[in-house]
Amino acid sequence: MPTPLAIDTDPGIDDALAILLALASPEVDLKLVTTVHGNVDLARTTENALRVLHLAGRSDVPVAAGAHDSLVHPQPERAGHVHGTAGLGGVELPPSPAAVDPRPAVVALTELLTASPEPVTIVAIGPLTNIALLLRVHPAAAARIGRLVIMGGSAARGGNVTAAAEFNVWADAEAAQAVLTSTLPTVLVGLDVTLPTVLDEDGIARFAAAGPIGARAAAILQQYVDHARTAYGTTGVVVHDALAVTEAILPGTLGTVRRDVVVDTGLGFGRGQTLVDRRTVSTAPTAVEVAEHVDSAAAVEFLVSRLASLDARPV
Ligand code: RIB
Ligand code: CA
């Protein structure tokens, strides 16, 4: 029986791959996509989510739009320079025939959580604004979450958007603080495990050659490849969000340790930093399963093979 899944996302190049990975994986049943501001603005993240689902022939999956900005302090800047101004690396996907779900994201999540006979896994791969709002507006529904897998933060790898902070946490530090100090069953997939997990150009070529879906996914990635080459001098790309979805598909893929985590919500240089207490294994109900170990080669192979399988399916 596949696990019911919801993805909260700000597509976003790596978000797009993460959504495609979920659709390629029979272990999960993608019931809902909710969108949030982040890499680009909400209108674009929402349109991109619709188009990525349509690319894979799954415009039946509802897309509900959520928060257009952070809870308290507006997100200082978007990430168009990394993801392209429209958010998909300059690639124009065909528009979806589906319309945005009329329900706000928090309502759609609440109805899914309340109606599902099985515990729902939620993967949050953008700023945590929608998840924080769910906690505050519908705590009883939030308590029904089976697993919350978050791409975000960093225990010991510093930041990517600033020296201290990872982008998703930095984009809404107050939301991240509310979620990471809640009692939700949370797995935190941070830079410690995503940065070593590099999808190289051989892997991209494999799914690009598989057919039209893989070819479009590779085209979307190209800006990420070019950015990585310029910014880091590397020939591969870190597909952060896909690793979080992999953990949702195959629980236990990542080695985790229960840690107490707080977020710097100040307005100084440390804003958005996740302070992970690695002195002890936490027994607190608010502890977070922090991913500290990854088999990067196996994770990349899993991603490549699953993305290639999208074109192997009967039309
Ligand atoms: O830090 C990586 C995260 O920021 C990913 O979710 C990526 O999509 C960007 O939003
Ligand atoms: Ca993202």
Side-chain angles (χ1 to χ4, degrees), residues 10 14-15 39 83 125 151 160 166-168 224 240-241:
D10 63 334
D14 59 326
D15 303 70
N39 287 317
H83 295 265
I125 53 177
M151 192 282 132
N160 56 359
E166 178 280 325
F167 179 87
N168 288 338
Y224 237 33
H240 304 274
D241 296 336

